[in-house]
Amino acid sequence: MRVVLGVSGASGAALAAACARHLSALGAEIDLVISKAGERTLVEEIGPEAADALRAQATRVHAIMNVGAAIASGSAPVAGMIVAPCSMRSLAAIAHGLDDNLLTRAASVQLKERRRLVLLARESPLTLAHLRNMTAVTEMGGIVAPPVPAFYLRPESLAAAVEQMAARAVDLLGLGRPQAQAWE
């Protein structure tokens, strides 16, 4: 099974690394595409080695402007895509079909092929434009999943909360046994 992992420039870079770990645990091949702002956020929030560590977990790494990559076509055998974190800029581009880079093009492909697209949209508070873009993506079949901690699980650390949110995102792809801790 092959999954696209997009990383945009919103805060929450740790979500990308956690999603990659959970996808790997399922045995998924990861096609990774990181925006320029995503690269910067990985460095700012995790450290200078973060982008390389994430690339090391991927099966294939694609340049953000390589719109000729296999994942830019519906003929590529992909099970779905997660954008973690998903900036409001990327959300807007996906919502309006602005396939101006490989991340937004790959997301559009998931929608047109009726595959799962999970967007860990990161912003607060939300403007009306953000909400309308979320509505548009949802109406097209995408899943907008803001990374909100499951406080009822009483996470012992921010890292534990991040792992749970990433596991939940991977579960939304419906690829295998659930990774996230369930409510009991």
Side-chain angles (χ1 to χ4, degrees):
M1 116 189 76
R2 187 172 171 185
V3 175
V4 179
L5 177 59
V7 182
S8 71
S11 183
L15 293 163
C19 283
R21 285 191 294 276
H22 287 283
L23 288 167
S24 293
L26 284 176
E29 293 182 15
I30 299 170
D31 279 80
L32 179 67
V33 58
I34 307 172
S35 73
K36 290 184 186 339
E39 293 262 357
R40 179 175 179 173
T41 305
L42 283 162
V43 170
E44 294 287 332
E45 293 184 356
I46 301 175
E49 72 293 337
D52 287 337
L54 188 56
R55 285 185 192 94
Q57 292 183 70
T59 308
R60 285 169 287 280
V61 178
H62 305 280
I64 188 68
M65 296 312 296
N66 183 10
V67 293
I71 60 172
S73 171
S75 65
V78 173
M81 179 175 181
I82 297 174
V83 181
C86 183
S87 68
M88 290 300 113
R89 183 254 178 249
S90 293
L91 173 70
I94 295 164
H96 295 281
L98 304 177
D99 301 348
D100 59 346
N101 62 48
L102 184 57
L103 191 153
T104 56
R105 173 60 188 166
S108 290
V109 167
Q110 304 316 301
L111 294 172
K112 80 178 186 71
E113 297 294 327
R114 308 301 190 262
R115 298 176 186 151
R116 297 267 175 110
L117 171 65
V118 179
L119 306 176
L120 275 65
R122 273 282 301 117
E123 190 60 81
S124 182
L126 299 168
T127 69
L128 183 56
H130 300 151
L131 294 168
R132 286 184 173 153
N133 289 334
M134 289 179 186
T135 299
V137 166
T138 301
E139 288 172 342
M140 290 185 275
I143 300 170
V144 179
V148 177
F151 291 109
Y152 54 84
L153 295 176
R154 296 183 180 180
E156 294 183 11
S157 66
L158 179 58
V162 167
E163 288 298 323
Q164 175 70 10
M165 290 180 277
R168 183 74 176 110
V170 171
D171 288 351
L172 288 169
L173 290 176
L175 302 176
R177 64 174 176 69
Q179 302 275 311
Q181 183 180 345
W183 166 257
E184 293 185 20

